[in-house]
Amino acid sequence: MDKKIKALFFDIDGTLVSFKTHKIPQSTVDALEQAKKNGVEVYISTGRPQLIINNLGQIEHLIDGYITTNGACCFVGDKVVSQHAILPEDVKKIIEAADRDDYPAIVVGEHHLAIHHYTDEVYEIFAKGLGVDCEIFLTDVNELGDEQVLQVTPFCSVEQETLLMPTLRNCTSGRWHPAFTDITAADADKGKGMHAMADYLGLNIEETMAFGDGGNDISIVREAGTGVAMGNAGDNLKQVADFITTHVDEDGVKNALLYFGVI
C-alpha cells in the first residue's frame, strides 16, 4: 500500500449487514476488530436516521462516529459535526406529491420520525425487511411541530421520483431500495458528510476508505481516498469504485481490507 488508510466509512444495509441474515457476518466483525487494533478508525455512513440504527450491536464498541440520514446529520459522540435541513417548501411539495399519487412517505425530524400515509408496504419493508420497530413512528407529520426535517423517504417509483425532483428547490435524492428513495437537502449526501467529518477529525481525504452497495453510496465511494463497492452493489456504484470486493455474505469487507493491507 502506498497510502495509509486511517479511517473506514461503512454503509450498513447490504454492506455491513446482510440482507439475508440481518446480521453482520462474523468475518466482518473480526476484520473490524483487527483494523481497530491496527489504529484505524471506524465510521458509519448510512441512510438510516439514528433512531432506526438498530442492527450494529455486534460492532457498536468499535464505532468512532456516524454519518446518518445520508449525510444530513453527522456526529462524533455528542458533538454534531454537520447538519442540513430540507427547506420547508420542499418538504411541503414532497408531501403533496405523496398525497396526489397516494404513496407513503417517512419524514425524519431532528428527534422524531413520522409516517405519512402508513401502508402495509411500509411494514413489509421497514419492519420485516429492515427490522425497524414501526411503533416508533408518529402517525401525523404535524406532530413533528417545529423540528427541522432532515430527510423524507417517499415510497415512489423511479418514474415518480424523476418527475418530483426538478420541482424541488434545494434537494438531492439517493435510492438504495427499489421501493423508496431518500431525499435530503442538496448540501447533504454521504460524500459531503465524509468531507465534513474529515475536516473535523483532521483527516486527509486520501486517508479514507469507504464501502457501499447502493445508489446513495455513490458520492462517498467516489469521493473517498479509496472507494469500495460490494460484490452485491448495483452497476452504477461499481462504475465509480476503485475496487469491487466480494458479496456481503462472502467476506466482502474482510477481503477488501486484506487486499489494501488495512488488516
CSV table of all heavy atoms in Angstrom, one decimal, residues 104 117-126:
chain,number,residue,atom,x,y,z
A,104,PRO,N,-46.8,6.3,0.6
A,104,PRO,CA,-46.4,6.7,1.9
A,104,PRO,C,-45.1,7.5,1.8
A,104,PRO,O,-44.4,7.4,0.8
A,104,PRO,CB,-46.1,5.4,2.6
A,104,PRO,CG,-46.5,4.3,1.7
A,104,PRO,CD,-46.7,4.8,0.3
A,117,HIS,N,-49.3,8.6,5.5
A,117,HIS,CA,-49.9,7.5,4.6
A,117,HIS,C,-49.4,6.1,5.0
A,117,HIS,O,-48.8,5.5,4.1
A,117,HIS,CB,-49.6,7.7,3.2
A,117,HIS,CG,-50.6,8.6,2.4
A,117,HIS,ND1,-51.9,8.6,2.7
A,117,HIS,CD2,-50.4,9.4,1.4
A,117,HIS,CE1,-52.5,9.5,1.9
A,117,HIS,NE2,-51.6,10.0,1.1
A,118,TYR,N,-49.4,5.7,6.2
A,118,TYR,CA,-48.9,4.4,6.5
A,118,TYR,C,-49.6,3.3,5.7
A,118,TYR,O,-50.8,3.3,5.6
A,118,TYR,CB,-49.1,4.1,8.0
A,118,TYR,CG,-48.5,2.8,8.5
A,118,TYR,CD1,-47.2,2.8,8.9
A,118,TYR,CD2,-49.3,1.7,8.6
A,118,TYR,CE1,-46.6,1.6,9.4
A,118,TYR,CE2,-48.7,0.5,9.0
A,118,TYR,CZ,-47.4,0.4,9.4
A,118,TYR,OH,-46.8,-0.7,9.8
A,119,THR,N,-48.8,2.4,5.2
A,119,THR,CA,-49.4,1.2,4.4
A,119,THR,C,-48.7,-0.1,4.8
A,119,THR,O,-47.7,0.0,5.4
A,119,THR,CB,-49.2,1.4,2.9
A,119,THR,OG1,-47.8,1.4,2.6
A,119,THR,CG2,-49.8,2.7,2.4
A,120,ASP,N,-49.3,-1.2,4.4
A,120,ASP,CA,-48.6,-2.5,4.6
A,120,ASP,C,-47.3,-2.6,4.0
A,120,ASP,O,-46.4,-3.3,4.5
A,120,ASP,CB,-49.5,-3.6,4.1
A,120,ASP,CG,-50.8,-3.8,4.9
A,120,ASP,OD1,-50.8,-3.3,6.1
A,120,ASP,OD2,-51.7,-4.4,4.4
A,121,GLU,N,-47.1,-1.9,2.9
A,121,GLU,CA,-45.7,-1.9,2.2
A,121,GLU,C,-44.7,-1.4,3.2
A,121,GLU,O,-43.6,-1.9,3.2
A,121,GLU,CB,-45.8,-1.0,1.0
A,121,GLU,CG,-44.5,-1.1,0.2
A,121,GLU,CD,-44.4,-0.3,-1.1
A,121,GLU,OE1,-45.2,0.8,-1.1
A,121,GLU,OE2,-43.7,-0.6,-2.0
A,122,VAL,N,-45.0,-0.3,3.9
A,122,VAL,CA,-44.0,0.2,4.9
A,122,VAL,C,-43.7,-0.8,5.9
A,122,VAL,O,-42.5,-1.1,6.3
A,122,VAL,CB,-44.6,1.5,5.6
A,122,VAL,CG1,-43.6,2.0,6.6
A,122,VAL,CG2,-44.9,2.6,4.6
A,123,TYR,N,-44.7,-1.5,6.4
A,123,TYR,CA,-44.5,-2.6,7.4
A,123,TYR,C,-43.6,-3.7,6.8
A,123,TYR,O,-42.7,-4.1,7.5
A,123,TYR,CB,-45.8,-3.1,7.9
A,123,TYR,CG,-45.6,-4.2,9.0
A,123,TYR,CD1,-45.4,-3.9,10.3
A,123,TYR,CD2,-45.7,-5.6,8.6
A,123,TYR,CE1,-45.1,-4.8,11.3
A,123,TYR,CE2,-45.4,-6.5,9.6
A,123,TYR,CZ,-45.2,-6.2,10.9
A,123,TYR,OH,-45.0,-7.2,11.8
A,124,GLU,N,-44.0,-4.1,5.6
A,124,GLU,CA,-43.2,-5.2,5.0
A,124,GLU,C,-41.7,-4.9,4.8
A,124,GLU,O,-40.9,-5.7,5.1
A,124,GLU,CB,-43.8,-5.5,3.6
A,124,GLU,CG,-45.1,-6.3,3.6
A,124,GLU,CD,-45.0,-7.7,4.2
A,124,GLU,OE1,-44.0,-8.4,3.9
A,124,GLU,OE2,-45.9,-8.1,5.0
A,125,ILE,N,-41.5,-3.7,4.4
A,125,ILE,CA,-40.1,-3.3,4.1
A,125,ILE,C,-39.3,-2.9,5.3
A,125,ILE,O,-38.2,-3.4,5.6
A,125,ILE,CB,-40.0,-2.2,3.0
A,125,ILE,CG1,-40.5,-2.8,1.7
A,125,ILE,CG2,-38.6,-1.6,2.9
A,125,ILE,CD1,-40.8,-1.7,0.6
A,126,PHE,N,-39.9,-2.0,6.1
A,126,PHE,CA,-39.2,-1.5,7.3
A,126,PHE,C,-39.2,-2.4,8.5
A,126,PHE,O,-38.2,-2.6,9.1
A,126,PHE,CB,-39.7,-0.1,7.7
A,126,PHE,CG,-39.0,1.0,7.0
A,126,PHE,CD1,-39.1,1.2,5.7
A,126,PHE,CD2,-38.2,1.8,7.8
A,126,PHE,CE1,-38.5,2.3,5.0
A,126,PHE,CE2,-37.5,2.9,7.1
A,126,PHE,CZ,-37.6,3.1,5.8
